[in-house]
Amino acid sequence: MADDPLTIGDTTFTSRLIMGTGGAPSLDVLERALLASGTELTTVAMRRLDPSVSGSILSLLDKHGIRVLPNTAGCYTSGEAVLTARLAREALGTDWVKLEVIADERTLLPDPVELLDAAETLVDDGFTVLPYTNDDPVLARKLEDVGCAAVMPLGSPIGSGLGIRNPHNFQLITERARVPVVLDAGAGTASDVALAMELGCAAVMLASAVTRAQEPVLMAEGMRHAVEAGRLAQRAGRIPRRHFAEASSPSEGVPLLDPERPAFR
Amino acid sequence: MTSTASTLTVSVNGEPRQVAAGLTLDQLVATLTTAPSGVAAALNEDVVPRSRWAATTLVDGDRVEVLTAVQGG
């Protein structure tokens, strides 16, 4: 929203939805989904060049003025991730990186030790680092302390669609973070995204929830609205939860009526 | 694959390849793509900036990785 921009590093965004591009059935569907999502920042992966592949995700993003955010998906060590980030900087002309250092293929959970080490190296090398991290408030703080421009905790494993498994941890992270907190991974549907924003996230990053939905373009539009709805609700301040009902109509001025009157029967 | 005086063997994206002695990195990348941007190369796990490709002559046993952006994340 124009009156409530998101600032990461030195850049301001109107949209609070960061999109991934993996899992889409075609480049055409992906293009329409990205436009429906309203995203201004979108991830790509770095892979060996395949001369037989035609059609480029880069030209698609460039055509629509969507900023590219390379990731280090597939890296298991700090060294691999740092080299991949440097190659992405060289190929794409951006010093932004979505830093992923995963521990194992089954869970795709981040390796906290390697992640923190890579984050520190890349920050020192001048990168704007957006780390994919566990929903661990201590690790989030350490990543912020080494100079990351945002922290991106996972709601649940990548591609699982299980939503935010530990909302309390998210609240602990967003309450004290001085950099934007971005839900990364786990969103399955619009309510997961709205919850993330209500818990104080500054933005949401997702891919599979849209690209693997039965109707990716519809879901992309839904996610855009969910981000905005959750953000508005968070800014508005929700009512406290109560154990018992509280009437919303006045208790004074209720007329005294005779329930035995025949007209009521 | 064996190297001779006029050829040498390098690894390109994990595949062994025999190339002419004296081949430079920009000549090698040109056999894969003509894209003027969006491509990066690592030589033996070090990034070689595009501006230095033409001055980088490959030697026997070099490992070259040529990367680009794909859909992901």
Side-chain angles (χ1 to χ4, degrees):
Chain A
M1 281 163 283
D3 65 337
D4 178 33
L6 163 69
T7 302
I8 300 175
D10 57 3
T11 305
T12 297
F13 301 93
T14 304
S15 165
R16 291 176 178 270
L17 183 53
I18 303 171
M19 289 290 291
T21 54
S26 72
L27 210 54
D28 173 60
V29 169
L30 177 63
E31 180 172 21
R32 288 187 287 126
L34 290 177
L35 292 177
S37 77
T39 187
E40 297 168 324
L41 183 64
T42 291
T43 65
V44 295
M46 299 303 296
R47 289 292 178 269
R48 284 171 168 169
L49 192 146
D50 180 351
S52 66
V53 172
S54 65
S56 153
I57 181 65
L58 285 179
S59 49
L60 191 159
L61 297 179
D62 188 50
K63 177 176 150 192
H64 296 294
I66 300 171
R67 184 177 180 133
V68 64
L69 177 61
N71 68 27
T72 61
C75 293
Y76 287 83
T77 64
S78 171
E80 288 169 334
V82 167
L83 178 59
T84 302
R86 288 176 176 156
L87 285 164
R89 176 167 66 181
E90 178 63 22
L92 308 179
T94 176
D95 56 13
W96 284 41
V97 63
K98 186 194 157 197
L99 178 62
E100 298 183 31
V101 190
I102 55 170
D104 76 78
E105 203 154 316
R106 194 170 71 91
T107 63
L108 298 179
L109 290 173
D111 181 321
V113 177
E114 297 292 316
L115 177 69
L116 191 61
D117 183 72
E120 198 163 7
T121 303
L122 289 170
V123 167
D124 288 347
D125 197 11
F127 280 86
T128 295
V129 180
L130 289 72
Y132 160 65
T133 177
N134 306 79
D135 62 353
D136 174 354
V138 177
L139 182 57
R141 179 168 50 78
K142 292 192 172 194
L143 287 164
E144 185 181 326
D145 288 347
V146 300
C148 290
V151 288
M152 303 181 69
L154 60 99
S156 49
I158 292 173
S160 71
L162 290 171
I164 299 177
R165 303 311 291 174
N166 194 338
H168 184 62
N169 270 18
F170 266 72
Q171 209 156 6
L172 291 175
I173 294 170
T174 61
E175 274 169 6
R176 71 154 306 283
R178 289 156 296 164
V179 295
V181 178
V182 182
L183 168 67
D184 184 8
T189 187
S191 52
D192 299 329
V193 167
L195 175 62
M197 300 306 288
E198 288 166 10
L199 290 169
C201 286
V204 167
M205 151 100 215
L206 56 85
S208 303
V210 162
T211 59
R212 297 189 209 276
Q214 293 184 34
E215 298 287 346
V217 182
L218 268 187
M219 187 61 91
E221 188 178 353
M223 292 305 194
R224 173 165 61 84
H225 290 301
V227 167
E228 291 179 2
R231 176 68 182 177
L232 286 170
Q234 194 275 334
R235 287 170 66 200
R238 59 151 301 144
I239 61 167
R241 290 179 172 83
R242 310 175 75 94
H243 194 69
F244 293 110
E246 187 181 55
S248 52
S249 302
S251 53
E252 298 82 31
V254 176
L256 190 60
L257 303 171
D258 177 3
E260 296 307 318
R261 266 188 67 180
F264 291 163
R265 300 197 167 249
Chain B
M1 259 183 248
T2 52
S3 306
T4 66
S6 59
T7 67
L8 40 96
T9 305
V10 297
S11 161
V12 182
N13 283 348
E15 298 288 327
R17 192 197 278 207
Q18 279 205 308
V19 299
L23 190 81
T24 57
L25 188 54
D26 67 324
Q27 290 167 331
L28 178 74
V29 173
T31 66
L32 299 173
T33 178
T34 55
S37 64
V39 179
L43 178 60
N44 304 326
E45 287 77 46
D46 272 323
V47 182
V48 182
R50 196 176 187 113
S51 58
R52 292 219 305 268
W53 287 0
T56 302
T57 305
L58 299 178
V59 300
D60 200 48
D62 271 349
R63 294 180 310 280
V64 181
E65 293 282 341
V66 183
L67 270 63
T68 191
V70 300
Q71 291 176 50

